[in-house]
Each structure stands twice: as C-alpha cells, then as structure tokens.
C-alpha cells in the first residue's frame, strides 16, 4: 500500500497546478495512465484567455463568457475565475512558461483573438500553448522531492466509505492498475483529486488524445457524486480531415487570424449562417459545417488562410504548418480540409469554487468537473484558465482542511477472477459504443436517435459489467467500463433537456426556453 497526503488522478494542467501549490506542505502522488505529458492539456493549441490588456476589462470577458454559455453559466463562478485570470498568468510567467512575446504590445506578449471574444485576450506560445505550459510545469513536478509521479498507472475506482463498509460518504484514495507490473496497487490518501480530463473518446471522431475516456467522471458517479450538463459536448469545428492524420486539431486561432471556411468550389458559407461569420462561437460554426456537409454530401469543408503572407502563417502557426506540410498540404498555398469532431466536455462532476464534490475528501478540477463556468457552450481558451484558478483554490482548501483519520483499507481482491478468454469482446464493444454515440448523439439530435442510443448503451453496459466481474482488469477494460457509464450520462442528460440551447441542438425541440436550468443527475445511493 502507498500512502500520501494527497493523490491526484490526472496529470494535465489542473492536476499539475494542484500538485505544485500543495507540494511545499504535502506529500503528493500524481497518477497518470501514460506518461506525465500525455493528456488534453498538452494538445491545447490556442492559448489561455485572460484580461491582460488595459483596453480589455473583466466585465467584457465575463460578458463574452456568458453570451457563449447561452444563459447557463454560473455568474458567481464566471466572475471568480475571470477576476483571477491575470494572477494565474503571472504565476505561469514566474514559472518560466515561454509565451510568445511582442515588444510592441504594452504587455510585452502577443495576444490573439478567438471566436466569441470581443478582444484580443488569448496569451499563447505560438500554436502549441498546452505543450509549452505542461512541459514547463512537468519539469517542476519531476524535480520536486514531495511529488511522486506514477506513470503508466490507471485509476480503477475510488476507495470510499461504502466500499469499506463505513458510515458516511467519504473518499480515502484509489485503487490503480500498475500497467507495467500488471498488478493493482492501493493508494491511500485523506484528500483525493479527480483531474482526469474529459470524455472525447466516447465519440468516433475526436480531437482528444486516447486518454480522454471519462475515467474521472465515471469514478465520481459510481462513488455518489452528482453530474451536471453532460449533454453539452463541444464539437470543435475544425479537425484536420486526412486519412493519415489522427485527430489533429486546426486551432481556433486560424479563424481568429482571418481563416475563411469554404465549400470545395471556393464559396464562403459562414456569413449566411451567422453575422459573426467565422468568429461565431464554436457550436454555431460546427452546426453550420454539419449543415453544409449534409446538404452537399461532402466529406469535409475547407479552412483557407492561404491569402495571408506565407511568413505570417509560418510564424503564427508553425506546428500546424509543419504537420500539414508532412501530409502534402501547404497551407500557405491551399486550404485545409476540416471536419467537426468531439472536443470538450462542458459538464462533469458538480463542484463548488474550491473543487469540492458531494463526497467528503474528494475534489474534481478541470474538464472532469462542472463548476458552471462553461454553461451550455465553452468560450474558447477558458478551459486552461479554469484549471489554473480552481486548481489553486482547491489546493488552498485542502491546506486549510484537517486530514482526519484514515481507516484500515483492504487491498484489491482479484482472487475470484480469471484471465479473459476473448479480448475481442472489448474491442468490438468499444467500436460499437463510439459509433452509436457518433450516429445518434452528435451535433444534431432527435428523440428517436437518443432512444436508440440509450437502448444500445444499456445492452453494452450489462455485457461490459459481466465481463468486468469475471476477468482480470486491463487498461482497455477499465476505459471501456468508464466510457459506457459516461455515454449513458450524456444520453440521459440530453433526454432531460426539452429545448435547444448552446451545444445541445434537438430537432424535436428547436426553440430555447425562456428560463435556463442545469441538467443535474443524481446517482442511486
């Protein structure tokens, strides 16, 4: 058994922020199912939204967030996070994050603009901000004597009062599979943080890395946490469409810097869908692309920035330029083929502004959590900001909370299970689940589609549950078990919403209701 003051599940920006803020006073374990830098945060291209320019204001950033969130953002949460945005960026700069500089700007840094923002307020490191931030913080983590990074470990479940036969509802750590040793380890801690990211892999096409399988959301749900607004899955409008490139994102900033969406014949189509054209929020752009693809029977549309000077494109989008060029696409000379893809989970485990969930001792931060910031549609580049601000707030709450006594914890018992005989069951169910979600719970939804999806998911859940009970756990089985739970939460949440709002568009309920309400699901306890 491993014992720590705090165990953090996930090594993205939220988990890293918590670890670094806690490490001076706590023994911290960071559990990550691949290597430290493999996660959605590292793949974030655009940047971090923050009020840094004197021409910008907190009120305007709040207003832009509320508009994008389609009436569902929590006003207090939004204000808290935006008001702490400059402080969060200053912390990253102090740690040495190499943001792109601009000597002509009053801040000394280049600020870009993205869809839904009324100002240039996105601080970035070229077009690979997430990688720059997580690489810098990752070096600090690995060098800190109080932080233990457990790579190639995947969390299986939370250790809870109920599992231990105790009264109350509290978390005491996690069980995790050490993938290299192929054994389950017990990690005990009075404070447990879920920072495991979103659930993009529940869909067939996604910009997310393979690690985004809804693990934290599913574990929290099984432990007794409420989830909110899971129907709001943000589909990024522009994922590179190419048979030899898996889930490569074409940054929002390409449209922010003048990229134009065109049909194969060169026709620009966004102005006919929205007055803001390419700078409309992501849900509007994604639905417009989906509409045009279905109308014209297209496999993709095209994002064109080739009319800009070649040196401008190479300077602002060096990674996108290089990746496309490897595939034979010179974006300085020709448009980029793009399709929408599942990108961001706006809902998650219900938390307060300190990251506290319904289970004592359990916190959730980042994409796995629902603070109320994103409402019905996330404003571009607010997600990394949320990780930073709520991560610091959660750390402060943990440091101010007495740890309490840890009960005796039993090690994982797998004496009654055997090695699986046919692992094809896992791969088949994985594929069936993701295709059903893509076909029936995508950008445009109907009651009939949702009913079909739920029927298939319920059958898959029973089959996967039986498989889980009888066989040794593996990485793929753990992820599949979590994916099917998360898929059901998305579908049930979508069925609850009898309107179209933000990222949830229903042909059966095309109107938006006068009053906005969160969709909150409560597990049986």
């Amino acid at each position: 058994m491993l014992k720590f003051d705090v165990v953090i599940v996930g090594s993205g920006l939220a988990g890293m922020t918590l670890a670094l803020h806690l490490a001076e006073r706590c023994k911290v374990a960071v559990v990550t199912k691949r290597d430290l830098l493999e996660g959605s945060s590292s793949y974030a291209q655009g940047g971090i939204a923050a009020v840094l320019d004197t021409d910008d204001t907190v009120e305007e950033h709040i207003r832009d967030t509320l508009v994008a969130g389609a009436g569902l953002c929590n006003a207090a949460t939004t204000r808290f996070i935006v008001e702490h945005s400059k402080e969060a960026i200053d912390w990253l700069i102090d740690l040495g994050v190499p943001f792109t500089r601009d000597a002509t700007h009053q801040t000394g840094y280049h600020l870009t603009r993205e869809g839904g923002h009324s100002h240039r307020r996105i601080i970035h490191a070229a077009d690979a901000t997430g990688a720059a931030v997580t690489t810098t913080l990752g070096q600090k983590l690995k060098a800190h004597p109080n932080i233990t990074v457990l790579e190639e470990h995947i969390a299986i479940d939370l250790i809870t009062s109920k599992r231990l036969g105790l009264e109350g509802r509290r978390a005491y750590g996690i069980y995790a599979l050490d993938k290299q040793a192929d054994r389950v380890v017990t990690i005990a801690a009075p404070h447990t943080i879920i920072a495991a990211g979103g659930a993009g892999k529940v869909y067939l096409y996604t910009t997310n890395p393979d690690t985004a399988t809804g693990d934290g959301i599913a574990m929290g749900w099984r432990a007794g946490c409420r989830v909110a607004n899971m129907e709001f899955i943000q589909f990024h409008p522009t994922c590179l469409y190419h048979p030899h490139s898996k889930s490569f994102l074409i940054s929002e900033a390409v449209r922010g810097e003048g990229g134009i969406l065109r049909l194969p014949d060169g026709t620009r189509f966004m102005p006919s869908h929205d007055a803001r054209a390419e700078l409309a929020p992501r849900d509007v752009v994604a639905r417009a692309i989906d509409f045009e693809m279905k109308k014209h029977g297209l496999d993709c549309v095209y994002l064109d920035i080739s009319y800009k000077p070649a040196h401008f494109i190479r300077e602002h989008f060096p990674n996108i330029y290089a990746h496309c060029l490897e595939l034979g696409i010179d974006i300085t000379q020709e448009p980029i083929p793009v399709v929408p893809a599942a990108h961001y989970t706006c809902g998650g485990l219900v938390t307060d502004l300190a990251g506290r969930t319904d289970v004592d001792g359990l916190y959730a931060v980042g994409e796995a959590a629902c603070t109320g910031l994103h409402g019905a549609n996330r404003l571009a580049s607010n997600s990394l900001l949320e990780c930073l601000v709520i991560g610091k707030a959660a750390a402060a709450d943990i440091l101010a909370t007495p740890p309490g006594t840890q009960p005796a914890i039993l090690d994982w018992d797998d004496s009654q299970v055997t090695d699986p005989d046919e692992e094809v069951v896992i791969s088949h169910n994985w594929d069936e689940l993701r295709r059903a979600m893509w076909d029936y719970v995508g950008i445009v939804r109907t009651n009939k589609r949702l009913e079909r999806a739920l029927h298939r998911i319920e059958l898959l859940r029973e089959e996967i549950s039986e498989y889980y009970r009888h066989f040794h756990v593996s990485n793929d089985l753990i992820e599949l078990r979590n994916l099917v739970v998360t898929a059901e939460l998305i579908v049930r949440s979508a069925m609850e919403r009898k309107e179209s709002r933000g990222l949830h568009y229903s042909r059966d309920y095309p109107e938006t209701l006068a009053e906005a309400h969160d969709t909150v699901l409560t597990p049986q306890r």
Side-chain angles (χ1 to χ4, degrees):
M1 182 186 298
L2 303 174
K3 294 183 179 181
F4 296 90
D5 299 316
V6 181
V7 58
I8 300 170
V9 180
S11 63
L13 183 56
M16 287 184 171
T17 298
L18 266 155
L20 290 172
H21 281 300
L22 289 168
E24 291 307 311
R25 290 172 52 188
C26 299
K27 293 287 186 183
V28 180
V30 176
V31 177
T32 181
K33 60 183 177 181
R34 292 201 180 172
D35 64 69
L36 181 64
L37 300 183
E38 178 64 25
S40 292
S41 293
S42 296
Y43 288 82
Q45 294 177 345
I48 306 172
V51 180
L52 304 172
D53 192 329
T54 54
D55 291 337
D56 195 7
T57 67
V58 165
E59 298 305 324
E60 287 172 295
H61 188 172
I62 290 172
R63 184 194 66 210
D64 291 345
T65 302
L66 297 180
V67 169
L72 209 60
C73 299
N74 181 292
T77 297
T78 305
R79 178 167 295 278
F80 177 79
I81 291 172
V82 173
E83 285 182 342
H84 288 83
S85 62
K86 185 179 186 303
E87 173 190 310
I89 299 302
D90 288 343
W91 181 69
L92 291 179
I93 291 171
D94 288 344
L95 289 175
V97 174
F99 291 115
T100 298
R101 293 185 174 272
D102 180 355
T104 66
H105 195 273
Q106 56 175 294
T107 63
Y109 294 94
H110 183 266
L111 303 180
T112 191
R113 183 181 174 191
E114 296 181 348
H117 288 275
S118 57
H119 287 271
R120 285 182 171 267
R121 65 166 68 98
I122 316 301
I123 190 168
H124 61 101
D127 61 347
T129 305
V133 172
T134 54
T135 298
T136 303
L137 269 59
Q139 291 168 351
K140 303 286 185 186
L141 248 75
K142 288 198 167 183
H144 203 292
N146 277 353
I147 299 175
T148 300
V149 179
L150 298 172
E151 295 181 316
E152 299 295 331
H153 283 64
I154 179 170
I156 303 170
D157 254 330
L158 295 159
I159 301 170
T160 60
S161 306
K162 184 177 180 180
R163 183 182 282 269
L164 299 178
L166 303 174
E167 293 295 318
R169 194 162 69 244
R170 174 172 279 278
Y172 296 103
I174 63 168
Y175 292 114
L177 174 67
D178 178 343
K179 295 196 288 183
Q180 292 178 330
D182 193 27
R183 66 184 182 91
V184 176
V185 295
T186 304
I187 306 174
H191 301 289
T192 304
I193 294 96
I194 289 174
K201 293 298 286 188
V202 79
Y203 284 97
L204 189 60
Y205 301 111
T206 176
T207 63
N208 291 185
D210 289 343
T211 53
T213 51
D215 302 332
I217 295 169
M219 285 195 300
W221 172 259
R222 287 193 294 266
C225 295
R226 290 170 298 153
V227 299
N229 297 341
M230 288 295 293
E231 68 270 36
F232 298 117
I233 302 295
Q234 188 173 67
F235 287 80
H236 197 287
T238 54
C239 182
L240 177 64
Y241 179 76
H242 193 280
H244 300 129
S245 181
K246 181 182 177 183
S247 306
F248 186 77
L249 177 66
I250 304 299
S251 170
E252 185 98 8
V254 174
R255 286 185 287 118
E257 294 294 344
I260 294 171
L261 285 163
R262 303 185 188 277
L263 297 175
D265 65 1
T267 302
R268 185 183 185 188
F269 59 85
M270 275 310 302
S272 65
H273 290 270
D274 192 281
R276 293 163 291 186
E278 281 79 10
L279 290 177
R282 290 175 175 176
D283 61 320
V284 176
V285 179
R287 275 200 301 275
I289 294 173
D290 184 69
F291 174 86
E292 296 292 343
M293 287 173 60
K294 285 182 169 62
K295 177 182 177 182
H296 298 286
L298 305 173
D299 292 325
C300 65
V301 297
Y302 294 86
L303 180 60
D304 186 12
I305 199 167
S306 64
Y307 70 93
K308 291 274 190 178
H311 68 85
F312 174 90
I313 296 170
R314 287 193 292 266
E315 178 185 345
H316 282 76
F317 308 110
N319 292 289
I320 294 173
Y321 171 76
H323 185 82
C324 289
L325 199 61
E326 287 178 0
L327 299 169
I329 304 167
D330 183 349
I331 70 173
T332 68
Q333 301 292 321
E334 60 188 311
I336 309 164
V338 294
V339 291
H343 183 58
Y344 191 84
T345 310
C346 288
L349 302 174
V350 175
T351 74
D352 63 12
L353 290 179
R356 290 178 293 221
T357 70
D358 297 326
V359 175
D360 293 337
L362 180 66
Y363 297 74
V365 182
E367 196 174 350
C370 183
T371 64
L373 172 67
H374 305 305
N377 184 18
R378 177 180 69 103
L379 181 65
S381 292
N382 266 354
S383 50
L384 294 182
L385 176 63
E386 181 186 41
C387 291
L388 291 163
V389 174
I390 303 299
K392 181 180 180 181
D397 189 76
I398 289 168
L399 293 173
T401 304
T405 57
Q406 282 285 91
I409 297 174
L410 298 175
D411 283 333
W412 183 262
D413 180 11
D414 60 358
S415 60
Q416 302 301 310
V417 297
T418 61
D419 290 322
D421 49 1
E422 290 190 351
E423 294 195 10
V424 69
V425 174
I426 295 177
S427 60
H428 175 81
N429 285 353
W430 180 291
D431 185 65
E432 184 177 343
L433 175 67
R434 296 177 69 210
R435 286 184 183 278
M437 289 296 290
W438 184 259
D439 290 341
Y440 301 133
V441 202
I443 296 170
V444 176
R445 299 162 181 175
T446 66
N447 289 343
K448 189 172 289 293
R449 290 178 188 176
L450 293 175
E451 288 166 3
R452 286 173 177 160
L454 184 61
H455 176 67
R456 282 160 174 76
I457 287 167
E458 286 174 338
L459 293 174
L460 286 169
R461 175 168 46 78
E462 289 304 315
E463 191 169 312
I464 293 163
S465 179
E466 182 182 1
Y467 197 92
Y468 178 81
R469 287 193 301 269
H470 288 92
F471 299 114
H472 287 293
V473 293
S474 65
N475 183 87
D476 288 352
L477 177 56
I478 294 165
E479 289 184 334
L480 179 60
R481 179 177 179 239
N482 292 329
L483 275 174
V484 77
V485 170
T486 308
E488 184 170 347
L489 293 172
I490 293 169
V491 174
R492 290 193 182 279
S493 296
M495 295 176 83
E496 289 281 319
R497 188 163 293 280
K498 310 298 185 186
E499 63 167 349
S500 290
R501 183 182 297 274
L503 299 166
H504 174 77
Y505 184 80
S506 169
R507 283 186 178 163
D508 295 303
Y509 308 104
E511 303 300 321
T512 301
L513 298 178
E515 285 191 40
H517 296 285
D518 292 322
T519 302
V520 181
L521 303 181
T522 303
Q524 293 181 336
R525 291 167 177 161

